[in-house]
């Protein structure tokens, strides 16, 4: 009877007698697939002794595999416990770091928001200031024109420039703005008197008065 196992290499294949996986090193296809312990089972040996030896062999193998299995279980349990400890530590670390990151993030957002708001407010303030200065500048010009062309109580029929009332183009051009000019002037005189920044021209009587005082 021949076998189909590879030749000239160490292999582990079931012994045809004890059926346990055993080491073999075949050199011919006609080699018997019977392990060293079973060689004497072949032939005229008593089947009782053969069976007893097989049972002993299997019992020993089972004991080895059983203790290996127990060791494996113990090792695995220890590993699991170690993993649990690692996991607990890592979870605590994640919680801690999350809190830190959240705190920093919130702080960062608040900081950025404050900066943006500050910047927006500053820009709006700057624009308001620019607009105010332009109005002051235009009103200063109007004030000068109004100083040259206004009603003269001493000569009700004439513009202060000497032209007949109604014939002064400058006077009629600024007539619609006289109310606004008056309001602006009053407001700025109050600012001046309050010691605040005002937009009156340097040669405005209120400014000159203030300087003298
Ligand atoms: Zn065997
Ligand atoms: Zn055997
Ligand atoms: Zn005039």
């Amino acid at each position: 009877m021949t076998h189909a196992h590879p030749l000239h290499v160490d292999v582990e294949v079931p012994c045809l007698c004890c059926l346990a996986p055993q080491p073999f090193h075949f050199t011919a296809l006609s080699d018997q697939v019977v392990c060293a312990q079973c060689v004497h089972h072949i032939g005229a040996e008593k089947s009782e002794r053969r069976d007893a030896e097989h049972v002993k062999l299997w019992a020993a193998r089972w004991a080895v595999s059983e203790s290996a299995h127990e060791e494996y279980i113990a090792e695995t349990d220890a590993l699991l416990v170690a993993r649990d400890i690692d996991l607990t530590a890592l979870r605590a670390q994640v919680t801690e770091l999350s809190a830190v990151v959240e705190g920093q993030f919130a702080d960062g957002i608040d900081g950025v928001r404050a900066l943006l708001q500050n910047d927006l407010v500053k820009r709006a303030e700057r624009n308001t200031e620019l607009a105010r200065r332009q109005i002051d500048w235009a009103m200063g010009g109007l004030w000068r024109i109004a100083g040259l062309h206004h009603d003269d109580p001493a000569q009700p029929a004439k513009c202060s420039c000497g032209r007949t009332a109604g014939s002064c183009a400058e006077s009629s051009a600024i007539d619609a703005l006289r109310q606004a000019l008056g309001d602006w002037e009053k407001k700025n005189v109050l600012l001046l008197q309050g010691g605040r920044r005002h937009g009156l021209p340097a040669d405005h009587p209120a400014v000159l008065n203030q300087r003298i005082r």
Side-chain angles (χ1 to χ4, degrees):
M1 193 176 129
T2 59
H3 63 81
H5 300 298
L7 304 179
H8 310 296
V9 284
D10 290 331
V11 287
E12 193 173 76
V13 299
C15 164
L16 290 181
C17 180
C18 65
L19 301 180
Q22 302 282 11
F24 286 95
H25 193 103
F26 301 110
T27 52
L29 291 178
S30 57
D31 285 347
Q32 284 188 322
V33 187
V34 172
C35 72
Q37 292 87 334
C38 291
V39 173
H40 64 273
H41 294 161
I42 300 165
E45 289 294 331
K46 283 185 179 170
S47 65
E48 256 175 54
R49 187 184 158 191
R50 183 191 66 198
D51 291 349
E53 282 189 10
H54 282 171
V55 167
K56 229 167 100 185
L57 166 80
W58 280 105
R61 285 202 165 212
W62 179 82
V64 167
S65 118
E66 181 74 351
S67 75
H69 181 67
E70 267 164 21
E71 251 171 59
Y72 171 79
I73 295 275
E75 271 170 27
T76 307
D77 281 352
L79 258 178
L80 282 175
V81 169
R83 283 283 153 79
D84 275 353
I85 291 168
D86 284 353
L87 268 179
T88 306
L90 283 172
R91 277 202 198 99
Q93 222 170 329
V94 166
T95 307
E96 197 180 311
L97 285 173
S98 297
V100 168
V101 168
E102 247 168 55
Q104 282 179 352
F105 193 61
D107 284 357
I109 287 291
D110 283 350
V112 169
R113 190 181 292 136
L115 272 180
L116 279 177
Q117 277 173 350
N118 206 18
D119 190 49
L120 283 175
V121 167
K122 271 190 189 156
R123 233 184 286 175
E125 278 171 352
R126 204 159 47 227
N127 288 341
T128 307
E129 174 63 17
L130 274 176
R132 203 181 60 79
R133 269 191 226 170
Q134 281 169 351
I135 289 168
D136 286 345
W137 177 79
M139 285 300 188
L142 270 180
W143 174 78
R144 239 177 273 282
I145 293 168
L148 297 172
H149 303 275
H150 57 84
D151 292 343
D152 188 350
Q155 290 178 293
K158 285 190 171 181
C159 176
S160 62
C161 68
R163 275 177 276 188
T164 317
S167 73
C168 176
E170 284 85 355
S171 184
S172 48
I174 63 169
D175 266 348
L177 298 165
R178 284 189 201 274
Q179 179 66 46
L181 178 62
D183 292 345
W184 169 82
E185 209 177 344
K186 249 181 261 168
K187 192 184 90 181
N188 279 277
V189 167
L190 282 175
L191 286 173
L192 169 73
Q193 288 168 350
R196 318 243 323 260
R197 218 157 70 163
H198 64 86
L200 295 170
D203 53 343
H204 190 281
V207 178
L208 296 174
N209 268 344
Q210 192 85 357
R211 248 183 234 163
I212 292 159
R213 274 203 289 174

